[in-house]
Amino acid sequence: MDLKFELIWSYLPLLLEGAKLTVQLTVFAVAIGTVIGLFVSLLRISNFKPVSWAAKIYVDFFRGTPLLVQIFLFYYGVPQLLGLDSMSRHMAGIIALGLNSGAYVAEIFRSGIQSIHKGQMEAARSLGMTYPQAMRYVVLPQAFKVSIPPLGNEFIAMLKDSSLVSVISLPELMQSGRMVANRVYRPFETFILVALLYLVMTTTISQFVSYLERVFGKDDHSQ
Amino acid sequence: MITVNNLTKNFGSLQVLRGVSCQIAPKEVVVVIGPSGSGKSTFLRCLNQLETATSGEIIINGTKITDPKTNINLVRQEVGMVFQRFNLFPHMTALENVALAPMKVRKQTRAEAEELAMSLLKRVGLQDKAHQYPEKLSGGQQQRVAIARALAMRPKIMLFDEPTSALDPEMVGEVLEVIKSLAFEGMTMVVVSHEMGFAREVGDRVFFMDEGLILEEGTPEEIFNNPQNPRTKAFLSKIL
């Protein structure tokens, strides 16, 4: 078997362009996912049943259906519902990934919050703090620290899953790889390179997450 | 100062409080004793509504706190609580633990709150530990910080839920000293405790609780030297 990397070498800038879009999609999706996730996790632990049920339905839907299906639903469904001609691929991709991520992040935060001993909330409330104050100053800072490792995993999973938006022809890394492979008829070499680029990105994230863990963990004040 | 009328509390089908009534006067120190499962902690936790009463009423300083319309956060600012397991905030230093509520609830500036916090830590003998995190403190020191934290809201009433039960024996004394000093300064207190020596020395009145009721109450001398109820006698004979 002979591998001919020199043929695809000149297409490296195209692949790097794709990798850039992959990073952008992932960062936006995780940012949206974190905001939604925090909000939904707080609804999820509400004692008011309709609110916690609504949050659970959201989480179950996005965790219980394939991301691929969700991407199609957003790309084709949302313009139809809103009476638009079409939706930008970027917008559809980011929203689908962000909402999907939100469901997973919500569960991460929920379990983080629930891992904090209830005595913490009681002590805060006994001092006259309101529920939101107790959450914000006492429970969430501790829950967030517990959530860093699983959030890192979610970030990595999202980076890899973002390859699925290639189905709506967003020119991220996977889609760029396909284009290059078709042009030079060298799919194996191309996807070796694509895989390596994904690996560089995921490794970078996991390094960053261990760094965060060290920073937040070096003064481990948990009881 | 505290009036409780026919307070009941159910956890599911289990009735933990079965009609507790009592009056507690300003500056009075009441020590609540009784076997485990007798409802004494639940009774205490009802007094600041960490547990909501199933029925009955609790009136504190003229405010009916069992009324759902009462702003319980305002009431809790006047009623400090100290827990068996300390419940210090592990992500904050001792000083930050004490200063948090004055800043966020009383809206004091950081400087004011920290000055207050430092004076309270000094009072419980821990000014040199102000910048330590709870994990670096012994159990006794943590509980003293917890007392300072409750005092930072300048409460009119203090509730203590078995404040020395989680401590190693050699640390019980330092915590009881602090509680005692509060009693001598005239703080109204309700203390759930197994420390009978403390109850005798500091308590103005002792409540004996069992099976969700206050079965007997009286001065420490009456309860310890001349108990009337057979269950009080049985309990005291086991622990004294």
Side-chain angles (χ1 to χ4, degrees), chain A residues 11-195:
Chain A
Y11 289 96
L12 187 62
L14 194 70
L15 293 178
L16 288 175
E17 245 346 88
K20 197 174 134 196
L21 182 56
T22 288
V23 170
Q24 285 170 352
L25 286 171
T26 307
V27 167
F28 273 113
V30 171
I32 294 171
T34 304
V35 173
I36 293 178
L38 178 59
F39 186 64
V40 171
S41 67
L42 292 172
L43 300 183
R44 187 89 166 74
I45 57 173
S46 164
N47 284 328
F48 186 55
K49 287 284 178 241
V51 165
S52 68
W53 281 335
K56 184 163 169 21
I57 289 169
Y58 164 79
V59 169
D60 286 352
F61 176 79
F62 282 97
R63 294 205 314 168
T65 58
L67 178 54
L68 194 52
V69 173
Q70 293 162 19
I71 291 166
F72 279 128
L73 278 175
F74 276 93
Y75 186 51
Y76 295 111
V78 171
Q80 198 170 328
L81 275 179
L82 300 180
L84 304 171
D85 290 340
S86 67
M87 193 175 187
S88 100
R89 297 173 202 285
H90 283 76
M91 196 48 94
I94 286 173
I95 292 177
L97 292 176
L99 286 174
N100 181 272
S101 184
Y104 286 93
V105 174
E107 287 300 279
I108 290 170
F109 280 145
R110 181 178 68 93
S111 75
I113 291 168
Q114 288 177 340
S115 75
I116 306 305
H117 192 271
K118 75 177 172 59
Q120 292 289 308
M121 175 58 88
E122 289 183 350
R125 296 303 306 274
S126 78
L127 291 164
M129 282 189 230
T130 62
Y131 179 86
Q133 285 175 328
M135 266 291 166
R136 175 162 168 211
Y137 300 113
V138 174
V139 177
L140 286 180
Q142 298 179 61
F144 184 70
K145 205 172 95 179
V146 181
S147 302
I148 290 175
L151 278 177
N153 290 339
E154 168 58 18
F155 204 151
I156 290 170
M158 195 33 65
L159 189 122
K160 293 185 293 179
D161 287 351
S162 71
S163 61
L164 287 170
V165 299
S166 61
V167 296
I168 54 172
S169 304
L170 262 179
E172 42 67 78
L173 181 52
M174 179 67 196
Q175 179 66 7
S176 309
R178 254 186 225 162
M179 285 177 348
V180 173
N182 287 341
R183 220 170 284 178
V184 295
Y185 300 111
R186 281 285 169 185
F188 189 38
E189 288 88 339
T190 310
F191 283 107
I192 287 176
L193 206 54
V194 166

Side-chain angles (χ1 to χ4, degrees), chain A residues 120 122 125 137 220-221, chain B residues 45 76 88 90-91 104 135:
Chain A
Q120 292 289 308
E122 289 183 350
R125 296 303 306 274
Y137 300 113
D220 195 335
H221 315 304
Chain B
R45 290 161 57 85
R76 285 181 180 143
L88 289 183
H91 58 304
K104 302 305 174 191
E135 60 165 0

Side-chain angles (χ1 to χ4, degrees), chain B residues 15-190:
Chain B
Q15 192 166 32
V16 183
L17 297 179
R18 298 190 299 141
V20 173
S21 299
C22 65
Q23 299 262 359
I24 295 168
K27 303 195 172 187
E28 197 174 19
V29 178
V30 170
V31 180
V32 184
I33 62 171
S36 57
S38 58
K40 51 194 194 304
S41 279
T42 306
F43 166 64
L44 195 74
R45 290 161 57 85
C46 282
L47 293 181
N48 68 353
Q49 292 287 287
L50 281 183
E51 305 289 352
T52 48
T54 303
S55 72
E57 61 177 10
I58 301 170
I59 297 159
I60 290 182
N61 273 335
T63 307
K64 189 169 161 187
I65 67 166
T66 39
D67 185 338
K69 289 196 286 286
T70 300
N71 181 347
I72 193 62
N73 296 318
L74 291 178
V75 177
R76 285 181 180 143
Q77 294 174 24
E78 311 285 311
V79 183
M81 185 163 206
V82 173
F83 299 85
Q84 183 178 354
R85 303 279 340 169
F86 329 135
N87 296 346
L88 289 183
F89 308 136
H91 58 304
M92 297 179 189
T93 62
L95 189 75
E96 289 165 344
N97 262 277
V98 181
L100 180 69
M103 277 166 61
K104 302 305 174 191
V105 180
R106 294 257 192 252
K107 308 295 179 198
Q108 293 183 8
T109 65
R110 178 174 289 274
E112 286 168 346
E114 289 190 343
E115 193 187 326
L116 168 69
M118 196 49 105
S119 72
L120 288 166
L121 286 175
K122 192 175 285 177
R123 174 178 176 168
V124 298
L126 289 172
Q127 67 272 37
D128 54 328
K129 302 285 183 191
H131 300 290
Q132 298 281 359
Y133 285 91
E135 60 165 0
K136 300 277 187 221
L137 303 177
S138 71
Q141 291 169 337
Q142 288 191 50
Q143 193 62 299
R144 281 144 68 197
V145 174
I147 293 170
R149 180 177 68 178
L151 292 176
M153 290 301 289
R154 305 244 178 258
K156 300 196 172 63
I157 299 169
M158 285 283 283
L159 308 175
F160 292 86
D161 189 3
E162 305 199 22
T164 57
S165 307
L167 296 176
D168 291 335
E170 74 268 25
M171 294 171 183
V172 169
E174 63 190 69
V175 172
L176 289 182
E177 278 308 313
V178 173
I179 301 175
K180 230 183 276 181
S181 74
L182 283 176
F184 292 139
E185 286 167 26
M187 178 70 81
T188 308
M189 305 203 288
V190 184

